[in-house]
Amino acid sequence: MRVARLAERAPILHMREVDKTFGGEVVALRRMSLTVNEGDFISLLGPSGCGKSTALRLIAGLMPPTVGRIEWEGGQGADDLGVVFQEPTLMPWATVAKNVWLPFRLRGHSYRSVRDRIEEALAMVGLEKFGNAYPRELSGGMKMRVSIARALVTNPRLILMDEPFAALDEITRQKLNDDLLELKAQIGATVIFVTHSVFESVFLSDRILVMAARPGRVVQEIVVDEPYPRGIAWRTAPEYGRIARQTSDALQGTLYTREAAE
Amino acid sequence: MTVSETSASTRAETGSGPMYDADEERRARKKRVEAIAQWVIPITVMAIAIWYWDRIVVWNGIEPYILPRPGLVMRTLFEDWGTLSQSLLVTLQITGMALAVAVIGGVGLAIIFSLSRFAEMSFSPFAVILQVTPIVAIAPLIFIYVESRLVGLLMCAWIVAFFPILANTTLGLKSADHNLSDLMTIYRANRWQRLRYLQIPSALPYFLGGLKIAGGLALIGAVVAEYVAGTGGIGSGLAFRILEAGYRLQIPRMFAALFLIALTGVIIFATTSLIAHLALRKWHESALKRE
């Protein structure tokens, strides 16, 4: 599936001037505005406490914003969201295939009626042979793949990923990054990806939102106008290095302003 | 220098076959020995203890109405099997029914607690009071108010057995993974789906732990209640047979009935352990063999 150029994409979600305050005084997120377009791969990049996970939880509908609105273009349907957490978050008592079945099961679809789609999703993440395995039999990276398969099995409009690869080793992480981009190229998914790695964000995304802490806010948006699919060539391209430096500088800037404020 | 020479010579000896170093061989041997010892040692020790019991009686010329020889206990068990088996059946029946009602009541109440915090606040004090008050203290009152002896016994055994199931299941229903719980919210699971697909499977290991405890307690409850209930006749359990034999100084018979009670307890424990193992062996840490 071909992804349209950045400027031509249709919007699917708007965050308008969103604030989130905890306990009346802790400002986790201040005046965040964001339009998510179809096919975007957006990274939320920032130090801990910058509200990137809060933003994700707000979009996921796990809590309401204190001020501002989050609006889905054409209203939010039941199957609009897929989520991947920092941990694989699989049900240990269910096989891999049964785990991937969960979003369908909650819609009342029998296993037989969606078996093809489950197998397809598992094949996409390279686990077609592991449908009957239990999560404990898999490595950390494989569990994460199951989690990704579950997030995309319903073909959601938006997939949220909250530092999904942070707990994995560097080699597994790079492999999963490559595979994630391949998946994105295949199904043209729209992704919001929370990370604290500059290189990961530049490699994966076409929009990077650099965030600062205390209060959590977006300080800069960096566009990575490099077409997908991206591979090893992109990791070593001069343009990649340039954007990584620019992003890194932006991130450094947020750290210094914070220290100056303290 | 010497180290490298040793390893070189070992490699030459083993040749192209599978390579086991000394450490691995030692481990494998230890494992084999432990596998056999696991069965042989307890059986041997038990046999020696029984033999020693027998010898003590013989060496000291102890009369059977003070301490019978193990052989005599077994013989009594066979001779009195008619009466004892009837009583065993009664005790088993009460224990089994009490456990069944405890499971239904404990799990049912735990689910109600998990659905409503207010229900938990209202009723958990009652559960705690029932649990902390010794059953021997409650039993006499129960037998005053309850006409049927069977129902009275059942109530006593139930009171003792249901609390561990309630407490464990309540804990289990609350300890579902928070991220999975968020996932349920994101996928808009209703209360029932959340309970069925997330909370109940999460609570299963806890419930089974409670069941193991409750199995033993149901038997204790059934036996204790019968001591309190006292009155005998047809439909009396093993506890009454012990009392009765005690009054008549039929010590071997007391031992025979005691043996049956102990055996019942062991079988209940083995059964509940087996159920737990079968239910959890595929996925839960407690039932997994480590590599």
Side-chain angles (χ1 to χ4, degrees):
Chain A
M1 184 169 163
R2 217 185 70 80
V3 176
R5 309 260 330 149
L6 276 174
E8 301 160 4
R9 295 175 188 167
I12 56 172
L13 177 100
H14 306 278
M15 287 179 85
R16 299 192 206 276
E17 304 274 304
V18 169
D19 274 20
K20 182 68 194 179
T21 310
F22 290 114
E25 41 191 63
V26 183
V27 182
L29 201 61
R30 178 178 288 173
R31 297 181 77 87
M32 180 166 175
S33 291
L34 169 67
T35 297
V36 181
N37 305 308
E38 199 173 353
D40 279 358
F41 196 124
I42 301 172
S43 279
L44 304 183
L45 174 73
S48 50
C50 71
K52 50 193 195 298
S53 286
T54 304
L56 215 62
R57 292 178 70 82
L58 286 167
I59 296 170
L62 289 171
M63 52 192 186
T66 311
V67 184
R69 281 170 304 162
I70 296 175
E71 288 162 357
W72 286 77
E73 201 70 35
Q76 188 189 0
D79 288 331
D80 278 356
L81 268 179
V83 183
V84 180
F85 295 98
Q86 193 167 353
E87 288 93 38
T89 313
L90 303 175
M91 301 177 289
W93 53 83
T95 61
V96 164
K98 295 280 162 66
N99 264 289
V100 177
W101 176 34
L102 180 74
F104 285 127
R105 194 180 196 186
L106 295 172
R107 297 275 155 276
H109 297 297
S110 75
Y111 184 77
R112 280 178 52 197
S113 70
V114 291
R115 186 196 278 152
D116 292 345
R117 296 183 68 179
I118 292 170
E119 280 168 4
E120 195 187 331
L122 282 175
M124 271 190 206
V125 297
L127 290 178
E128 60 273 28
K129 293 198 184 99
F130 292 88
N132 291 322
Y134 282 83
R136 64 169 175 89
E137 297 169 271
L138 307 182
S139 67
M142 288 160 92
K143 283 183 202 161
M144 226 9 145
R145 288 167 187 272
V146 179
S147 196
I148 293 169
R150 179 180 60 196
L152 55 79
V153 71
T154 56
N155 220 344
R157 284 164 86 188
L158 178 61
I159 297 177
L160 306 176
M161 305 182 96
D162 189 1
E163 298 188 42
F165 310 142
L168 301 175
D169 63 88
E170 192 57 37
I171 297 169
T172 311
R173 186 176 187 163
Q174 248 181 41
K175 175 82 176 101
L176 277 170
N177 279 340
D178 288 341
D179 292 356
L180 183 60
L181 283 192
E182 204 170 295
L183 271 179
K184 184 188 152 37
Q186 264 183 50
I187 61 174
T190 309
V191 181
I192 301 182
F193 190 97
V194 165
T195 180
H196 49 231
S197 160
V198 170
F199 301 105
E200 197 170 57
S201 67
V202 178
F203 180 70
L204 289 173
S205 42
D206 46 20
R207 295 170 68 191
I208 303 171
L209 299 188
V210 180
M211 299 181 74
R214 274 172 251 178
R217 64 202 185 278
V218 178
V219 289
Q220 197 178 339
E221 174 165 347
I222 294 168
V223 173
V224 186
D225 200 5
E226 167 75 18
Y228 297 99
R230 298 167 178 177
I232 187 79
W234 170 235
R235 265 209 187 88
T236 49
E239 180 66 4
Y240 173 85
R242 192 189 64 76
I243 297 176
R245 192 172 316 120
Q246 184 194 348
T247 310
S248 190
D249 288 345
L251 196 60
Q252 283 293 321
T254 71
L255 296 178
Y256 287 124
T257 48
R258 199 184 88 200
E259 268 165 33
E262 272 169 3
Chain B
M1 194 62 208
T2 42
V3 175
S4 67
E5 270 169 23
T6 324
S7 66
S9 67
T10 317
R11 196 163 301 158
E13 279 162 27
T14 42
S16 60
M19 302 260 285
Y20 293 112
D21 57 35
D23 180 56
E24 264 196 78
E25 258 172 45
R26 198 172 45 77
R27 269 171 211 268
R29 198 163 49 237
K30 200 174 157 198
K31 218 172 161 185
R32 279 197 301 274
V33 169
E34 267 177 15
I36 299 167
Q38 194 188 356
W39 292 101
V40 172
I41 289 181
I43 291 172
T44 314
V45 172
M46 188 64 80
I48 291 173
I50 292 170
W51 173 82
Y52 193 60
W53 163 10
D54 188 64
R55 287 302 96 193
I56 286 176
V57 176
V58 174
W59 290 334
N60 298 305
I62 300 172
E63 297 294 338
Y65 57 80
I66 294 175
L67 181 64
R69 290 172 64 179
L72 179 60
V73 172
M74 282 298 120
R75 206 158 53 242
T76 315
L77 185 60
F78 284 112
E79 280 164 6
D80 295 354
W81 181 246
T83 329
L84 287 178
S85 64
Q86 285 297 317
S87 299
L88 174 65
L89 225 57
V90 172
T91 302
L92 278 179
Q93 198 188 354
I94 292 167
T95 308
M97 282 166 72
L99 191 58
V101 182
V103 168
I104 296 166
V107 171
L109 210 54
I111 287 177
I112 291 170
F113 283 4
S114 86
L115 292 176
S116 159
R117 284 281 299 147
F118 291 120
E120 186 176 1
M121 288 176 203
S122 312
F123 297 113
S124 59
F126 289 96
V128 172
I129 289 168
L130 272 181
Q131 160 68 13
V132 296
T133 314
I135 187 64
V136 259
I138 312 175
L141 272 177
I142 290 177
F143 286 109
I144 288 175
Y145 293 125
V146 178
E147 283 276 329
S148 160
R149 192 164 170 281
L150 180 75
V151 174
L153 292 177
L154 207 56
M155 280 181 73
C156 292
W158 174 78
I159 287 174
V160 193
F162 105 108
F163 190 79
I165 293 185
L166 171 68
N168 273 26
T169 312
T170 304
L171 181 66
L173 289 171
K174 282 180 186 168
S175 44
D177 184 284
H178 288 296
N179 282 334
L180 274 174
S181 184
D182 281 349
L183 200 68
M184 290 281 170
T185 310
I186 289 166
Y187 287 132
R188 300 182 183 177
N190 59 37
R191 197 69 199 77
W192 166 242
Q193 288 175 321
R194 188 183 291 268
L195 186 70
R196 184 165 159 214
Y197 299 138
L198 176 60
Q199 289 181 293
I200 289 179
S202 303
L204 191 64
Y206 294 83
F207 160 74
L208 291 167
L211 184 68
K212 269 193 214 177
I213 304 169
L217 285 180
L219 179 63
I220 293 176
V223 168
V224 168
E226 214 183 348
Y227 276 124
V228 178
T231 51
I234 297 163
S236 296
L238 284 171
F240 178 75
R241 292 294 160 220
I242 291 182
L243 276 183
E244 184 192 50
Y247 294 140
R248 298 178 190 167
L249 274 183
Q250 294 170 323
I251 309 297
R253 197 176 185 181
M254 290 178 82
F255 271 96
L258 187 60
F259 172 77
L260 283 180
I261 290 178
L263 191 69
T264 308
V266 171
I267 289 170
I268 290 172
F269 181 79
T271 311
T272 49
S273 298
L274 182 71
I275 292 172
H277 177 77
L278 290 179
L280 302 179
R281 73 196 151 128
K282 288 272 180 59
W283 64 274
H284 197 253
E285 298 297 334
S286 67
L288 297 179
K289 278 207 175 75
R290 293 191 53 187
E291 275 107 67

